[in-house]
Amino acid sequence: DAKTTQPTSMDCAEGRAANLPCNHSTISGNEYVYWYRQIHSQGPQYIIHGLKNNETNEMASLIITEDRKSSTLILPHATLRDTAVYYCIVRVQDNAGNMLTFGGGTRLMVKP
Amino acid sequence: DAMVIQNPRYQVTQFGKPVTLSCSQTLNHNVMYWYQQKSSQAPKLLFHYYDKDFNNEADTPDNFQSRRPNTSFCFLDIRSPGLGDAAMYLCATSRGLAGGGQETQYFGPGTRLLVL
């Protein structure tokens, strides 16, 4: 699986958009980009994933560059409850399951 | 609501005393995973079951074993816990779609293990 690089931490003002970058320069053509987050003392929570097109759901938007070497997770209106560690993971889907290799993640602090 | 359940949320054991952590799911998913997460670190996969097929990660210590008696339940057994095994243990599930596809994993709240 391709490795990912994320900033260790970021701050965001409440109500503003939070833009979390992820570099995955060695991604291959069949690898998906997944984003999970982990709020303190809870299990990780799936946010969104994509292959090459931009994706949006009720939680966030995912912007993937044309060369697929980087992506950005966008939380359009961050709230205090969005304070968490955000993990960017690239992964090939196979028949045996979807093993996730978590990297360091970005610790997002949403401030009032 | 369908979910992944881990009880208890906190488990205390003694050094060297076997301990079992439990996970159950109401999602009827084929795949169940166990992760270990030490303080301030990312979760690390220990092993997973695809239905009844057990798949161990290469660097998972022999001290860690798992059982899956049926679709709904999966257990993590630590035969002789050491101080270094104190961690959060996370259970997760996914559908395990035949032919691939895009899957998400659903995580339980975790069990925090303390070894005295």
Side-chain angles (χ1 to χ4, degrees):
Chain A
D1 295 336
K3 291 186 177 179
T4 61
T5 304
Q6 299 177 252
T8 304
S9 63
M10 292 181 63
D11 290 344
C12 178
E14 187 179 19
R16 304 296 293 269
N19 298 292
L20 292 92
C22 180
N23 287 324
H24 30 79
S25 58
T26 60
I27 193 169
S28 57
N30 59 348
E31 287 185 310
Y32 289 82
V33 180
Y34 285 83
W35 284 84
Y36 282 75
R37 74 178 182 183
Q38 188 173 23
I39 295 170
H40 182 65
S41 295
Q42 297 183 20
Q45 176 191 24
Y46 166 80
I47 302 172
I48 199 167
H49 74 282
L51 184 61
K52 47 186 177 180
N53 296 325
N54 297 338
E55 302 287 344
T56 295
N57 63 20
E58 64 278 4
M59 290 183 69
S61 295
L62 174 60
I63 308 299
I64 303 174
T65 58
E66 193 169 342
D67 63 7
R68 302 209 323 123
K69 293 186 177 183
S70 65
S71 61
T72 301
L73 178 75
I74 301 173
L75 308 178
H77 305 287
T79 70
L80 299 179
R81 288 176 294 181
D82 292 321
T83 293
V85 178
Y86 287 76
Y87 295 102
C88 170
I89 302 163
V90 293
R91 176 65 187 140
V92 174
Q93 175 63 52
D94 62 41
N95 291 352
N98 185 10
M99 276 61 71
L100 300 175
T101 302
F102 288 84
T106 296
R107 186 174 298 275
L108 176 69
M109 179 73 72
V110 180
K111 297 184 174 181
Chain B
D1 290 339
M3 59 180 63
V4 181
I5 302 159
Q6 292 185 252
N7 284 311
R9 294 295 307 275
Y10 298 89
Q11 177 74 55
V12 180
T13 191
Q14 292 179 335
F15 181 93
K17 184 175 181 180
V19 65
T20 295
L21 308 182
S22 66
C23 176
S24 64
Q25 54 128 340
T26 60
L27 298 160
N28 203 33
H29 283 174
N30 288 323
V31 192
M32 295 187 77
Y33 311 80
W34 279 104
Y35 291 83
Q36 179 192 61
Q37 186 174 26
K38 295 187 177 181
S39 180
S40 300
Q41 296 184 19
K44 180 178 180 299
L45 182 66
L46 294 172
F47 27 59
H48 76 280
Y49 274 94
Y50 188 93
D51 197 8
K52 296 181 181 179
D53 294 332
F54 177 72
N55 299 271
N56 200 29
E57 292 299 296
D59 55 354
T60 297
D62 293 340
N63 198 25
F64 291 86
Q65 303 287 323
S66 186
R67 295 170 285 133
R68 190 178 184 187
N70 53 51
T71 300
S72 301
F73 286 87
C74 195
F75 300 98
L76 170 62
D77 301 309
I78 308 176
R79 292 191 294 188
S80 181
L83 299 180
D85 296 327
M88 172 80 85
Y89 290 89
L90 295 160
C91 175
T93 73
S94 68
R95 288 185 184 176
L97 298 172
Q102 302 150 48
E103 290 211 316
T104 63
Q105 286 190 18
Y106 298 83
F107 284 81
T111 294
R112 186 169 296 282
L113 179 67
L114 180 63
V115 181
L116 301 179

